[in-house]
Amino acid sequence: MDLTYYKNEDALKLLLSEVKRREGILAKGGGEAKLQKQRDQGKLTARERVAALVDAKKPCLELGIFAGDGMYEEYGGCPAGGVVVVLAYVKGTQCIIVANDATVKAGAWFPITGKKNLRAQQIALENHTPIIYLVDSAGVFLPLQDEIFPDREHFGRIFRNNAVMSSLGIPQISAIMGSCVAGGAYLPIMSDESLIVKGSGSIFLAGSYLVKAAIGESVDNETLGGADTHCDISGVTDYKCEDDQEAITTIRGLVDKMGAFPKAGFDRTTPKDPEHTITDIYGFVPRDGKPFESLRIIECIVDKESWQPYKETYGQTILCGYARIDGWAVGIVANNRAIVKNSKGEMQFGGVIYSDSADKAARFIANCNQKRIPLVFLQDVTGFMVGSKSEHGGIIKDGAKMVNAVANSVVPKFTVIVGNSFGAGNYAMNGTAYDPRLIVAWPNAKLAVMGGQQAAKVLLQIEKSRLKGSGKELTLEELDALQKDIEERYERQTSPYYAASRLWVDAIIDPAKTREWLSYGIEMSNNNPEMKRYNPGVIQT
């Protein structure tokens, strides 16, 4: 390995260490004092509950830990969106676990909490994955009720999805391990089976204070909606547990008895290690954005000797090919960051989508759909080629063809943002709007409508024109200061943390974990035999 490799490695590892540092802070939720207070009440914390529930020594992949990061600061913040969501195994069965973090505003639902819960349910719906809710929530965060309560993708959508999942035979288990109030009471009871922890779990449409105010009745919360009430009298809940640990043991027992579900039939053989050690990725990704041969990244991810390129010498700014990841057959669509020559001997810039590469990718995507092969997109794209030559050559038409193929693809699609994700390239390479089963980003990823420098120049020209129209001319010093301000703001908005805080990506991951994420996702998607996508507007049966 040369000096450049080691400099690249150091740069990416520094970015990764910052990811882990931030995750460590967010994992503490509302802080050590509140975590200890929950333990003093005889309760496990949200992350302790999850850790006790999942199978040890098997993948446990967390989604959305950066949700809400840097948002709602006027309310004290909402670390991880106030809820922990993981993909993990429970008694050998892949499950989604959603655990309210009561150390964050008593587990109240902020707008980002609702979005994160809906994302978890969407994954369950698309992959027919059992979902387990560990409920400990005070309900909607009232100061922001207008942003979480009434709209189509707000709080009520959760209960609608409960009903849809039950109709599709997707198991849902809920454990009431703390407060469960008002509209939030419907989530556990619309699940297929519900547990309640004696002494700490309570569920009611209105708590004792509101009951007193509304109808004048004096009653304590335990009598109103505790474990004895709902297991012995109302029959609302199915299992009574003495403590959190018994609830977790009960859930594991329920999952253990689940039968096998039909499979989609995606092909898998005995896994092989990649051509390169997967940690070689750290040194292969240039720290300075210079062109490089993206095939080297692919060789760190796919099984050795499994890469089979499609149209290898045509449309070379996109690499397409069949391969295996941890034994699973996949079709890979990857932006090639190398500078190449087309059939006419003309230079083509790496990371840019040209007409020939768009045409090639569209054909390949169709082939994978025909053969029931899941698709993996490796995004490092600066957009489609612009200019009169490209426009005259029909770049819009060819780009539309590729976007059409991605949008109408029915096989599972997975996206890894390994570098840039700019403009319409984000769409064509299966961005969030195109229903990836999972979409993750590396720590060096950047997401925006265009690159920072280009955007700064455009925004600067707009601002100059606006000021000139009002009769004001800027000095050179003022222009420099304005450009710097625009660049800093734009740089902040293009970072992977900004994207992850808004759930535009499911996670920022260690590049060395890419194979693990993709393998888990493909195995999960194999549980949906009909490969139907989740359409939020239609109940699919």
Side-chain angles (χ1 to χ4, degrees):
M1 302 297 182
D2 60 16
L3 183 60
T4 300
Y5 173 93
Y6 291 113
K7 287 183 176 179
N8 292 340
E9 181 181 47
D10 288 345
L12 193 47
K13 283 185 174 180
L14 279 172
L15 292 175
L16 183 58
S17 67
E18 176 63 11
V19 172
K20 292 179 178 178
R21 185 191 70 81
R22 292 188 181 207
E23 286 179 340
I25 295 170
L26 294 170
K28 294 179 181 179
E32 289 289 357
K34 290 185 179 179
L35 290 169
Q36 189 56 48
K37 182 180 178 181
Q38 188 159 336
R39 296 186 188 105
D40 292 342
Q41 294 170 346
K43 298 162 65 175
L44 298 175
T45 67
R47 292 181 183 278
E48 289 169 347
R49 289 166 177 168
V50 170
L53 179 59
V54 305
D55 294 348
K57 298 180 180 179
K58 285 193 174 182
C60 181
L61 309 176
E62 182 166 358
L63 304 180
I65 191 170
F66 289 103
D69 188 30
M71 301 165 65
Y72 313 116
E73 292 180 353
E74 64 273 36
Y75 300 107
C78 185
V83 62
V84 180
V85 176
V86 301
L87 309 177
Y89 294 86
V90 176
K91 298 297 284 188
T93 297
Q94 285 185 314
C95 295
I96 297 173
I97 301 163
V98 179
N100 297 116
D101 186 349
T103 71
V104 179
K105 296 291 188 294
W109 288 56
F110 283 68
I112 198 67
T113 316
K115 188 173 183 179
K116 187 170 175 178
N117 276 265
L118 286 169
R119 176 58 177 154
Q121 289 186 323
Q122 180 185 6
I123 293 170
L125 280 159
E126 289 178 334
N127 299 289
H128 286 199
T129 305
I131 187 165
I132 299 167
Y133 307 98
L134 306 180
V135 184
D136 193 347
S137 171
V140 166
F141 185 63
L142 290 178
L144 295 173
Q145 65 85 26
D146 61 321
E147 297 180 38
I148 181 62
F149 169 65
D151 210 348
R152 186 172 185 232
E153 297 297 327
H154 282 180
F155 196 51
R157 195 71 172 187
I158 303 290
F159 316 136
R160 178 265 188 190
N161 287 347
N162 289 142
V164 172
M165 281 189 275
S166 290
S167 75
L168 295 174
I170 301 169
Q172 299 174 86
I173 300 171
S174 285
I176 302 159
M177 308 176 90
S179 297
C180 190
V181 185
Y186 286 104
L187 183 147
I189 307 310
M190 291 191 71
S191 299
D192 303 302
E193 292 183 280
S194 60
L195 306 78
I196 186 168
V197 177
K198 192 172 180 178
S200 57
S202 60
I203 178 169
F204 31 65
L205 294 181
S208 55
Y209 292 122
L210 184 55
V211 168
K212 177 68 173 178
I215 64 174
E217 181 185 1
S218 296
V219 60
D220 62 88
N221 284 339
E222 187 66 22
T223 302
L224 187 64
D228 290 338
T229 294
H230 286 311
C231 284
D232 302 348
I233 301 172
S234 71
V236 167
T237 51
D238 305 309
Y239 305 93
K240 187 194 304 184
C241 304
E242 289 296 322
D243 54 26
D244 283 6
Q245 189 57 59
E246 184 181 341
I248 288 164
T249 301
T250 303
I251 294 171
R252 286 179 60 82
L254 293 172
V255 176
D256 187 44
K257 313 302 187 301
M258 289 181 185
F261 294 93
K263 306 295 182 185
F266 302 133
D267 188 67
R268 193 181 197 187
T269 59
T270 303
K272 293 182 181 179
D273 290 334
E275 180 78 26
H276 301 287
T277 303
I278 194 164
T279 52
D280 283 346
I281 286 177
Y282 299 144
F284 289 160
V285 178
R287 67 197 181 284
D288 49 13
K290 288 183 178 179
F292 70 102
E293 179 51 68
S294 299
L295 182 59
R296 300 176 84 182
I297 288 178
I298 294 173
E299 290 172 344
C300 292
I301 296 172
V302 305
D303 295 9
K304 187 175 182 179
E305 298 176 348
S306 69
W307 174 248
Q308 189 172 356
Y310 172 80
K311 290 184 179 288
E312 187 173 14
T313 58
Y314 176 74
Q316 294 180 69
T317 64
I318 289 184
L319 301 175
C320 296
Y322 304 103
R324 291 189 182 275
I325 293 177
D326 198 28
W328 292 103
V330 297
I332 293 178
V333 181
N335 301 113
N336 185 11
R337 285 296 307 281
I339 297 176
V340 298
K341 289 184 179 180
N342 63 13
S343 59
K344 299 177 182 178
E346 299 167 330
M347 302 300 292
Q348 292 186 328
F349 299 102
V352 179
I353 302 176
Y354 291 78
S355 284
D356 54 358
S357 48
D359 174 68
K360 166 179 151 179
R363 289 168 180 251
F364 179 72
I365 291 165
N367 287 350
C368 289
N369 274 267
Q370 184 186 49
K371 294 186 280 191
R372 298 175 71 90
I373 299 174
L375 284 159
V376 173
F377 292 80
L378 302 178
Q379 278 197 19
D380 193 352
V381 59
T382 54
F384 286 86
M385 191 58 192
V386 297
S388 60
K389 185 175 181 179
S390 292
E391 298 293 357
H392 296 170
I395 186 65
I396 296 176
K397 169 177 59 68
D398 291 315
K401 189 189 305 179
M402 181 178 175
V403 170
N404 195 303
V406 173
N408 286 294
S409 178
V410 297
V411 295
K413 300 172 296 183
F414 303 88
T415 301
V416 184
I417 303 174
V418 305
N420 297 321
S421 179
F422 294 155
N426 170 280
Y427 305 154
M429 291 295 293
N430 196 47
T432 305
Y434 291 79
D435 299 323
R437 297 293 178 96
L438 292 173
I439 178 168
V440 296
W442 288 359
N444 57 307
K446 292 184 178 181
L447 290 81
V449 73
M450 65 178 70
Q453 290 184 345
Q454 298 94 318
K457 289 178 182 178
V458 172
L459 292 169
L460 185 63
Q461 288 300 319
I462 292 172
E463 184 65 11
K464 284 170 65 179
S465 298
R466 185 186 70 81
L467 291 170
K468 190 175 182 179
S470 62
K472 183 177 180 181
E473 290 283 350
L474 296 178
T475 65
L476 288 177
E477 290 78 10
E478 288 173 329
L479 283 172
D480 287 342
L482 180 58
Q483 180 163 348
K484 184 179 179 181
D485 178 68
I486 291 171
E487 287 177 352
E488 288 177 352
R489 174 161 43 90
Y490 204 83
E491 187 68 22
R492 185 172 62 254
Q493 292 177 354
T494 62
S495 82
Y497 300 107
Y498 194 88
S501 70
R502 288 151 180 79
L503 293 174
W504 300 342
V505 297
D506 292 317
I508 302 172
I509 70 167
D510 180 348
K513 297 287 186 181
T514 303
R515 262 173 68 90
E516 182 177 44
W517 275 84
L518 292 173
S519 177
Y520 188 102
I522 298 166
E523 181 184 353
M524 181 174 64
S525 68
N526 197 37
N527 290 318
N528 183 348
E530 296 180 346
M531 298 190 299
K532 286 184 177 178
R533 295 169 296 165
Y534 167 52
N535 184 336
V538 180
I539 298 176
Q540 298 184 350
T541 58

